[in-house]
Amino acid sequence: VQLQASGGGLVQAGESLRLSCAASGSIFYINTMGWYRQAPGKQRELVANIVSGGGLFYEDSVKGRFTISRDNAKNTVYLQMNSLKPEDTGVYYCKADIMTQRGFVPYEYFGQGTQVTVSS
């Protein structure tokens, strides 16, 4: 199983970016998909996640600015980031809890990370 993230870049404060992450390989079922970020010198933190049934979570600082969504047919999760701030800068990692076969326990997979830099 692989997760391939894309969409990062350098933008100015107030601008938008859209991250995508596609899962591929031996996939029977994907439960939760989400995005984490790691700022320089800080621990990795959960930004947002979405459960297969549609339940959502957002970290407080991104509520109202970021929107997470998923396309189950494409095994892909998206993060639309609007009104970006310099404090949103970091490496963004996608994560998916994937069951590779029926009856197996879901395992956490992380993507390779994509850099988001927001200048003031």
Side-chain angles (χ1 to χ4, degrees):
V1 174
Q2 288 188 328
L3 271 63
Q4 182 67 44
S6 61
L10 171 62
V11 297
Q12 293 188 334
E15 295 184 339
S16 299
L17 281 173
R18 188 188 193 216
L19 306 183
S20 300
C21 176
S24 61
S26 178
I27 297 171
F28 173 74
Y29 176 76
I30 301 178
N31 188 8
T32 303
M33 304 185 82
W35 292 93
Y36 288 71
R37 70 183 174 195
Q38 187 164 18
K42 294 187 177 181
Q43 289 187 331
R44 189 178 297 187
E45 64 175 353
L46 175 63
V47 175
N49 64 21
I50 180 168
V51 184
S52 62
L56 304 174
F57 167 83
Y58 292 99
E59 194 270 328
D60 284 345
S61 68
V62 308
K63 287 179 179 177
R65 299 188 297 121
F66 291 11
T67 302
I68 189 170
S69 61
R70 62 191 283 175
D71 184 333
N72 291 328
K74 297 180 178 180
N75 292 331
T76 299
V77 62
Y78 306 95
L79 186 67
Q80 178 66 42
M81 305 185 294
N82 298 329
S83 302
L84 282 161
K85 302 176 180 180
E87 51 264 42
D88 294 319
T89 294
V91 179
Y92 282 69
Y93 299 89
C94 58
K95 192 204 81 163
D97 297 334
I98 297 175
M99 186 185 299
T100 56
Q101 295 185 42
R102 181 189 295 273
F104 278 32
V105 176
Y107 184 81
E108 292 185 346
Y109 292 87
F110 280 90
Q112 83 282 9
T114 183
Q115 177 70 44
V116 172
T117 303
V118 184
S119 64
S120 57

